Amino acid sequence: MTTKNTTDTVTESTLFISSDNLLNTWLGHRRLTRRVIEAFPEDKLFNYSIGGMRTFSEMMKEIIDIGGPGIRGIATDNWENTGSLDKHTLNPEDSTKEGLLRLLDEGTAEIMEYWPQISEERFQEMTTVFGQYEGQVFSSILYFIDNEIHHRAQGTVYLRGLGIEPPAFWNRD
Amino acid sequence: MTTKNTTDTVTESTLFISSDNLLNTWLGHRRLTRRVIEAFPEDKLFNYSIGGMRTFSEMMKEIIDIGGPGIRGIATDNWENTGSLDKHTLNPEDSTKEGLLRLLDEGTAEIMEYWPQISEERFQEMTTVFGQYEGQVFSSILYFIDNEIHHRAQGTVYLRGLGIEPPAFWNRD
């Protein structure tokens, strides 16, 4: 695993980040995502938007639908019951700030449960996630995380539009 | 480098992504960032904002100040002439869409120049970037990229606020 490079040029197998450290990075993002949801006034999660975009609760439902089910699918290679990524509708009983936070936490727990089952070889394999998106596993997972950062950032503009200071981007505790 | 795990549990050194693949992921993000800048009407880059936030050109100057100089600093362990991260002011001669895109491209070229000099061991080392932020190198680099995704996403809300459809998030070509 730690074969030294004898030249000053990296090779294709040069480790950038380990599985453990990438998971920890993601969990830090999840803590920040949770704080951004918490910062919204409850009604604004469901009825505020800018420029015809979706509400922040709809964006966060997408993040919830991708993270836990995506890692479970990758770990088990079983994509039944992971849903599709075409629509992201909250059930009426989940349509509160508390409900949204609970779903996010359940997704985070699913990520933590299935992550340790993904091997180094699996991270590099080609796969098709959610039955439709082909790519190497690491690339799909980075897409999940990048998509979370992307929509969370959009939420921070909503917060500013509402006159609320967003949680600090650098704080992942 | 490819020691197999004999259990189904990952270890601390399990490779998630290689250096080459992480660089390619970042370069894909850079292409998207470039398209988001291009999508702005020239004047709106410098005079439009929501909720008292910075203009998109100011956010992008931050991204420019971090990416190239950050990778150069990490590769050489020399942080002279990389500037500080306290302010991000465009020179008058760079204060056009063309100037901003040129600076972004110069930063991308610097990332590509210095990246191959960073070894696997260096990616895992503790370091202090820009003379003030301590952490492991991989963590600092992911912060650079995540910060680019974050501010670019804020720019997509600006575009929507201006009635302009942003470039597709999934397209990194």
Side-chain angles (χ1 to χ4, degrees):
Chain A
M1 195 67 211
T2 53
T3 309
K4 288 223 178 201
N5 295 311
T6 50
T7 71
D8 64 354
T9 305
V10 298
T11 66
E12 197 175 327
S13 58
T14 296
L15 180 146
F16 172 77
I17 189 172
S18 71
S19 168
D20 279 8
N21 284 327
L22 197 281
L23 174 61
N24 284 333
T25 301
W26 192 359
L27 295 178
H29 277 300
R30 285 256 144 170
R31 288 188 285 271
L32 176 55
T33 299
R34 201 178 196 288
R35 280 197 292 275
V36 172
I37 294 172
E38 284 181 311
F40 271 79
E42 173 126 14
D43 62 326
K44 302 301 182 195
L45 279 171
F46 301 94
N47 67 20
Y48 182 80
S49 85
I50 292 175
M53 296 175 66
R54 291 179 292 171
T55 63
F56 193 56
S57 62
E58 289 175 289
M59 296 183 197
M60 289 299 98
K61 182 59 163 54
E62 176 183 314
I63 297 309
I64 289 163
D65 289 347
I66 290 176
I71 295 304
R72 171 159 51 90
I74 286 167
T76 63
D77 211 10
N78 179 351
W79 294 91
E80 290 168 31
N81 304 314
T82 51
S84 88
L85 293 191
D86 296 334
K87 55 181 164 61
H88 305 282
T89 311
L90 278 161
N91 294 324
E93 66 268 27
D94 298 324
S95 296
T96 59
K97 186 192 288 193
E98 190 187 335
L100 200 58
L101 290 171
R102 179 174 42 73
L103 291 178
L104 185 77
D105 291 344
E106 288 172 5
T108 305
E110 199 167 27
I111 293 167
M112 293 174 72
E113 178 185 352
Y114 285 98
W115 187 273
Q117 298 177 24
I118 309 174
S119 69
E120 176 164 322
E121 289 72 23
R122 178 68 174 148
F123 282 126
Q124 314 309 313
E125 275 176 13
M126 289 296 292
T127 196
T128 302
V129 300
F130 295 100
Q132 49 185 323
Y133 305 102
E134 197 179 54
Q136 281 178 276
V137 167
F138 69 77
S139 179
S140 297
I141 293 173
L142 288 182
Y143 190 92
F144 299 168
I145 300 171
D146 294 348
N147 193 50
E148 177 171 337
I149 298 167
H150 174 76
H151 287 308
R152 182 184 64 208
Q154 293 178 325
T156 66
V157 184
Y158 285 17
L159 286 173
R160 290 284 187 188
L162 291 164
I164 296 165
E165 183 171 343
F169 178 73
W170 51 264
N171 184 3
R172 310 292 166 78
D173 288 342
Chain B
M1 195 66 209
T2 53
T3 310
K4 287 221 180 203
N5 294 311
T6 51
T7 71
D8 63 354
T9 304
V10 298
T11 65
E12 195 175 327
S13 58
T14 297
L15 180 145
F16 171 77
I17 189 172
S18 71
S19 167
D20 279 8
N21 284 327
L22 196 280
L23 174 60
N24 285 332
T25 301
W26 193 359
L27 295 177
H29 276 300
R30 284 256 145 169
R31 289 188 284 272
L32 176 55
T33 299
R34 201 177 195 290
R35 280 196 292 275
V36 172
I37 294 172
E38 285 180 311
F40 272 77
E42 173 126 12
D43 62 327
K44 302 301 181 194
L45 278 171
F46 301 95
N47 67 19
Y48 182 80
S49 86
I50 291 174
M53 296 173 68
R54 292 178 291 171
T55 64
F56 193 57
S57 63
E58 289 175 290
M59 294 182 197
M60 288 300 98
K61 182 57 164 55
E62 178 183 314
I63 297 310
I64 289 163
D65 288 347
I66 290 176
I71 295 304
R72 171 160 51 92
I74 286 168
T76 62
D77 209 11
N78 178 352
W79 293 92
E80 288 168 33
N81 303 315
T82 51
S84 88
L85 293 191
D86 295 334
K87 55 180 164 59
H88 305 282
T89 310
L90 277 162
N91 294 325
E93 65 269 27
D94 298 323
S95 295
T96 60
K97 186 192 286 193
E98 188 187 336
L100 201 57
L101 289 170
R102 179 175 41 73
L103 291 178
L104 184 77
D105 291 345
E106 288 172 3
T108 305
E110 198 167 28
I111 292 168
M112 293 174 72
E113 177 184 353
Y114 285 97
W115 188 273
Q117 299 178 24
I118 309 175
S119 69
E120 177 163 322
E121 290 71 25
R122 179 66 174 150
F123 282 126
Q124 314 308 313
E125 274 175 13
M126 289 295 292
T127 195
T128 301
V129 299
F130 294 100
Q132 49 186 322
Y133 306 101
E134 198 181 51
Q136 281 177 277
V137 167
F138 68 77
S139 179
S140 296
I141 293 173
L142 288 182
Y143 190 92
F144 299 167
I145 300 171
D146 295 348
N147 192 51
E148 178 171 338
I149 298 167
H150 174 75
H151 286 309
R152 183 184 64 208
Q154 293 179 325
T156 66
V157 184
Y158 285 17
L159 286 173
R160 290 283 187 189
L162 291 164
I164 297 165
E165 182 171 345
F169 177 73
W170 50 263
N171 183 1
R172 310 293 166 77
D173 289 342

